[in-house]
Amino acid sequence: MKNFNENKFLHDLKIQSWENVYFFADNPNSMWQIWKELFLQVLDKHAPLQSKKIKSKKLHWITNHIKQMIITRDKLKRRAIVTKLESDWENYKRARNETNTQLRLAKKEYYTNKISSESQNPKAAWKTINSLIGKQNRPTKVNELNINNVKLTSPEDIAKCFNDYFANIGPNLAAEIDTTECHFKDYLKKAESEFTLVETNTI
């Protein structure tokens, strides 16, 4: 830690009111709680939990309430690591699970509403879906084409080549289909049995 002074930390530990622990000599649990609070007072003074802003992609579904839950969760984790007390670990795990649940629900609600609002704009909807699944559309730029051993590098020539290809792909494929004078019935096998419908009289 940048500003941590070990000597001052040890000094404040020595002058802490440790005698208060013995006021509860008949209750080990209370003694532990008092000792822990006294120790954390000094620890928080010399090594306080610091938050640092890091520029990252904004998560629109994280509300102020969820931010506060995250802060509380992290504080409980830090305390559990220091004290190693089972009850503190239980408090942290409970806060962690509640925070994760709220994050999942908020994220689901955000994307459900966003995609629903873009129902009339497929392009925007697919952009949202791709961002949800982590897929990024990266346009492919063609700088050169080789057509019949001729290199095309001009953007205009490349664009014209693509246009000609896609404009004629249908007719070109159709031209490759073999034409025949055969009728489709020529491929049907003659049935070996037959049946006849006979009109009946109703009684």
Side-chain angles (χ1 to χ4, degrees):
M1 289 174 286
K2 184 177 180 181
N3 298 319
F4 179 74
N5 189 309
E6 183 178 357
N7 292 330
K8 290 183 178 180
F9 174 68
L10 294 175
H11 174 266
D12 285 351
L13 280 178
K14 290 180 181 179
I15 64 174
Q16 185 64 294
S17 303
W18 299 111
E19 64 275 6
N20 293 339
V21 175
Y22 297 100
F23 292 160
F24 302 90
D26 58 337
N27 190 326
N29 290 330
S30 297
M31 292 179 69
W32 164 246
Q33 291 293 335
I34 296 298
W35 184 93
K36 181 179 66 174
E37 291 299 327
L38 292 172
F39 176 79
L40 289 177
Q41 286 176 7
V42 179
L43 182 64
D44 289 338
K45 176 182 177 181
H46 292 275
L49 183 64
Q50 297 179 346
S51 59
K52 185 176 181 180
K53 291 185 178 181
I54 300 176
K55 290 185 178 180
S56 60
K57 185 177 180 180
K58 184 178 180 180
L59 303 179
H60 299 280
W61 57 87
I62 296 184
T63 62
N64 290 332
H65 174 65
I66 293 179
K67 288 180 181 178
Q68 188 59 48
M69 292 182 69
I70 293 174
I71 293 173
T72 301
R73 176 202 64 188
D74 293 344
K75 285 183 177 179
L76 290 173
K77 182 179 181 180
R78 178 172 173 268
R79 169 166 290 196
I81 292 174
V82 172
T83 66
K84 296 181 174 59
L85 192 64
E86 185 64 27
S87 60
D88 286 338
W89 278 112
E90 289 298 325
N91 290 335
Y92 158 67
K93 291 176 182 178
R94 184 162 49 251
R96 178 199 61 191
N97 294 340
E98 292 175 355
T99 302
N100 290 342
T101 298
Q102 289 300 316
L103 280 170
R104 285 194 296 269
L105 292 175
K107 184 177 181 180
K108 179 181 178 181
E109 182 180 5
Y110 170 78
Y111 276 106
T112 298
N113 293 336
K114 186 169 178 61
I115 293 174
S116 177
S117 66
E118 296 169 342
S119 59
Q120 302 301 320
N121 189 343
K123 183 177 181 180
W126 274 111
K127 183 178 180 181
T128 299
I129 293 172
N130 287 334
S131 69
L132 175 61
I133 63 178
K135 181 180 179 181
Q136 297 181 351
N137 291 327
R138 297 180 179 178
T140 302
K141 185 177 181 180
V142 179
N143 296 317
E144 180 181 303
L145 281 181
N146 192 325
I147 306 298
N148 298 326
N149 295 324
V150 177
K151 289 185 178 181
L152 303 179
T153 57
S154 168
E156 292 78 9
D157 292 339
I158 293 175
K160 184 178 183 303
C161 184
F162 274 118
N163 182 65
D164 291 342
Y165 174 79
F166 286 107
N168 296 306
I169 189 171
N172 290 340
L173 289 175
E176 295 179 3
I177 299 176
D178 185 25
T179 58
T180 178
E181 299 297 331
C182 295
H183 195 273
F184 76 91
K185 290 184 178 180
D186 296 335
Y187 296 96
L188 299 178
K189 293 183 179 180
K190 186 176 181 180
E192 297 180 356
S193 60
E194 60 182 23
F195 64 91
T196 304
L197 297 177
V198 180
E199 184 178 358
T200 61
N201 296 325
T202 58
I203 300 176

